[in-house]
């Protein structure tokens, strides 16, 4: 049946939903690239909470979604930005998420890496306090048996006076880490509080400091995750990495070309867009595993329009679209988010996300997705 989808300006247009899902395989591990999906958390819709109260998480649905990703051969990047770290999920909730997901990963043989930050700090802090906060979180992740992802810190961005503070603090953490970690550079488009990270708003200067950190401890750096939405800079950066240090793209605008790579190398992946794209992304990488880069691009290139839509400015609200698509796909029974963030995107934005995802065949049950979209339109008063 035709849907009337709202468009900006107050009008609607007709859309014919597809009736069959895309046929995808789930066989075999991924071999040519290491691919992490940064996974969202599922809120508990029955919890009587306010937007600024501690997050109420539906643990069963949250862990079921991680099993879904693992079943397709993807790794899970846990307690990252996609899970609303600093935007609804506090450190206490993140620590419980890390412990539960790491235990689940051990049970099913899934790969997992978990975010280490300083978000237990609620106000301005000096450098020793920031270091202690990082150490506390690193201990939780390592004790869980997961790989650590050293995330960018709002507190450090506020307290550091120059590159030397970053070199000193990260050097201390890398010396302390029991196993090689992933370093995470998240740009200000994802979190404005991270502007000037690595000691400079000049990205060339910041890049040099970042590379200095890695060069001082290459044996403690498994890889880097770069989320700057600048493909040229990422390629230049990965070509300068020490031997054995991987680049995990976090570029949700240019991931097909960065993962496919060129004659001088390629990026692995740690991406928020691989939450809704998980099965399709895994299918594409399996094709790439055979050496068929064109076949890989043929599957993944058409998904970029959806990703660019979800990550449009203000980029930090991309999580609303991710959870919305998880609801339409049947991975959760409601469109509710911790912190009430389901209100962060407009109805026309959500309608376009539905249309793009449906066109890609992302929904395992397109009829259910249409029914849920229709119910949302009814709630908003859009006549059908």
């Amino acid at each position: 049946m035709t849907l009337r989808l709202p468009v900006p300006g107050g009008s609607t247009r007709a859309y014919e939903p597809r009736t069959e899902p895309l046929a995808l395989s789930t066989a075999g591990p991924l071999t040519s690239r290491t691919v992490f999906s940064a996974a969202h958390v599922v809120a508990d819709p029955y919890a009587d909470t306010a937007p600024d109260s501690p997050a109420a998480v539906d643990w069963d649905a949250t862990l079921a979604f991680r099993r879904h990703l693992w079943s397709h051969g993807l790794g899970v990047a846990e307690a990252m930005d996609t899970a609303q770290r600093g935007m609804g999920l506090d450190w206490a909730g993140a620590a419980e998420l890390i412990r539960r997901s790491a235990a689940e990963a051990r049970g099913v043989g899934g790969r997992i890496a978990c975010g280490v930050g300083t978000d237990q700090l609620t106000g301005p802090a000096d450098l020793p306090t920031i270091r202690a906060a990082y150490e506390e979180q690193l201990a939780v992740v390592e004790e869980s048996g997961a790989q650590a992802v050293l995330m960018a810190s709002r507190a450090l961005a506020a307290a550091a006076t120059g590159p030397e503070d970053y070199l000193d603090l990260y050097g201390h953490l890398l010396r302390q880490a029991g196993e090689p970690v992933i370093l995470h550079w998240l740009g200000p488009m994802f979190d404005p509080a991270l502007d000037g990270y690595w000691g400079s708003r000049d990205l060339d200067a910041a890049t040099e400091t970042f590379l200095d950190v890695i060069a001082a401890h290459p044996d403690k750096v498994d890889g880097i995750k770069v989320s700057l939405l600048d493909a040229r800079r990422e390629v230049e950066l990965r070509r300068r990495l020490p031997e054995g240090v991987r680049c995990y793209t976090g570029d949700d605008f240019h991931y097909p070309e960065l993962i496919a790579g060129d004659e001088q190398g390629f990026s692995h992946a740690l991406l928020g867009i691989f939450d809704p794209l998980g099965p399709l992304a895994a299918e594409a990488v399996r094709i790439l595993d055979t050496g068929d880069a064109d076949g890989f691009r043929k599957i993944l290139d058409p998904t970029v329009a959806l990703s660019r839509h979800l990550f449009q400015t203000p980029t930090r609200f991309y999580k609303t679209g991710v959870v919305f698509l998880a609801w339409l796909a049947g991975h959760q029974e409601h469109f509710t988010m911790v912190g009430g963030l389901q209100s962060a995107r407009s109805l026309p934005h959500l309608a376009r996300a539905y249309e793009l995802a449906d066109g890609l065949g992302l929904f395992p049950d397109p009829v259910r997705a249409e029914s849920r979209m229709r119910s949302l339109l009814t709630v908003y008063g859009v006549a059908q």
Side-chain angles (χ1 to χ4, degrees), residues 271-348:
L271 287 161
I273 191 57
F274 281 5
D275 179 305
L277 291 185
L280 192 61
E283 183 88 347
V285 174
R286 285 192 183 90
I287 291 174
L288 187 60
D289 290 345
T290 70
D292 184 359
D294 289 340
F296 166 82
R297 295 291 299 269
K298 185 177 180 180
I299 290 180
L300 219 52
D301 281 359
T303 69
V304 172
L306 172 63
S307 189
R308 286 179 174 265
H309 178 73
L310 295 182
F311 284 80
Q312 69 182 216
T313 304
T315 303
R316 64 188 181 278
F317 294 130
Y318 76 90
K319 295 170 273 287
T320 301
V322 165
V323 174
F324 172 65
L325 295 181
W327 171 56
L328 295 180
H331 296 300
Q332 55 193 78
E333 294 305 312
H334 56 85
F335 178 37
T336 308
M337 299 177 67
V338 298
L341 207 61
Q342 67 271 12
S343 65
R345 291 295 201 189
S346 69
L347 182 63

Side-chain angles (χ1 to χ4, degrees), residues 16-335:
E16 293 290 338
R18 67 186 295 153
T19 57
E20 296 294 332
L22 197 63
L24 297 172
S25 68
T26 58
L30 311 183
T31 58
S32 65
R33 304 291 188 272
T34 300
V35 181
F36 289 99
S37 167
H40 73 280
V41 293
V42 182
D44 178 357
Y46 294 98
D48 186 11
T49 59
D52 58 352
S53 4
V57 176
D58 180 337
W59 293 112
D60 288 342
T62 293
L63 295 176
F65 186 74
R66 280 131 184 84
R67 291 193 296 272
H68 153 73
L69 295 172
W70 285 317
S71 75
H72 288 277
L74 300 168
V76 168
E78 188 55 276
M80 303 290 292
D81 179 63
T82 308
Q84 295 180 242
R85 289 289 294 269
M87 291 185 70
L89 188 70
D90 61 12
W91 166 236
E96 185 172 2
L97 178 64
I98 288 166
R99 294 186 181 104
R100 286 176 180 257
S101 291
E104 197 75 18
R106 289 194 300 273
V108 302
R111 183 164 186 167
I112 188 167
C114 299
V116 171
T118 64
D119 46 326
Q120 69 269 57
L121 303 176
T122 57
D126 59 18
L127 292 173
T129 302
I130 293 167
R131 187 175 79 179
Y134 264 126
E135 289 172 339
E136 177 190 359
Q137 296 202 14
L138 179 60
V140 169
V141 170
E142 291 193 330
E143 287 166 4
S144 77
Q147 184 177 17
V149 181
L150 293 186
M151 300 194 301
S153 162
R154 293 175 179 175
L156 180 56
T161 59
E164 298 77 14
D165 290 334
Y166 289 89
L167 290 166
D168 180 68
L169 192 148
Y170 274 90
H172 175 86
L173 293 173
L174 289 172
R175 286 190 296 272
Q176 184 173 316
E179 299 292 337
V181 308
I182 298 172
L183 295 179
H184 185 192
W185 185 358
L186 190 69
M189 67 289 296
F190 289 93
D191 188 342
L194 298 176
D195 191 26
Y197 213 74
W198 304 112
S200 178
R201 288 187 171 86
D202 181 323
L203 288 179
D204 290 335
T207 297
E208 294 306 317
T209 302
F210 188 47
L211 286 168
D212 286 345
V213 169
I214 299 164
H217 307 278
D219 58 321
K220 287 297 187 75
V221 181
D222 164 69
I224 62 169
K225 177 192 188 288
V226 186
S227 300
L228 298 175
L229 303 184
D230 184 336
R232 177 193 59 81
R233 183 172 296 279
E234 179 175 322
V235 170
E236 292 174 354
L237 180 56
R238 81 184 182 203
R239 289 175 179 171
R240 297 179 62 189
L241 292 174
E243 185 72 25
V245 176
R246 308 179 192 193
C247 180
Y248 294 92
T249 187
D251 188 330
D252 300 279
F253 285 3
H254 307 100
Y255 51 93
E257 64 197 73
L258 290 165
I259 297 170
D262 56 30
E263 66 282 353
Q264 297 185 52
F266 56 82
S267 295
H268 299 271
L270 196 165
L271 287 161
I273 191 57
F274 281 5
D275 179 305
L277 291 185
L280 192 61
E283 183 88 347
V285 174
R286 285 192 183 90
I287 291 174
L288 187 60
D289 290 345
T290 70
D292 184 359
D294 289 340
F296 166 82
R297 295 291 299 269
K298 185 177 180 180
I299 290 180
L300 219 52
D301 281 359
T303 69
V304 172
L306 172 63
S307 189
R308 286 179 174 265
H309 178 73
L310 295 182
F311 284 80
Q312 69 182 216
T313 304
T315 303
R316 64 188 181 278
F317 294 130
Y318 76 90
K319 295 170 273 287
T320 301
V322 165
V323 174
F324 172 65
L325 295 181
W327 171 56
L328 295 180
H331 296 300
Q332 55 193 78
E333 294 305 312
H334 56 85
F335 178 37

Side-chain angles (χ1 to χ4, degrees), residues 1-20:
M1 293 177 61
T2 300
L3 276 176
R4 302 296 308 181
L5 296 180
V7 295
S11 61
T12 64
R13 63 185 181 81
Y15 174 71
E16 293 290 338
R18 67 186 295 153
T19 57
E20 296 294 332

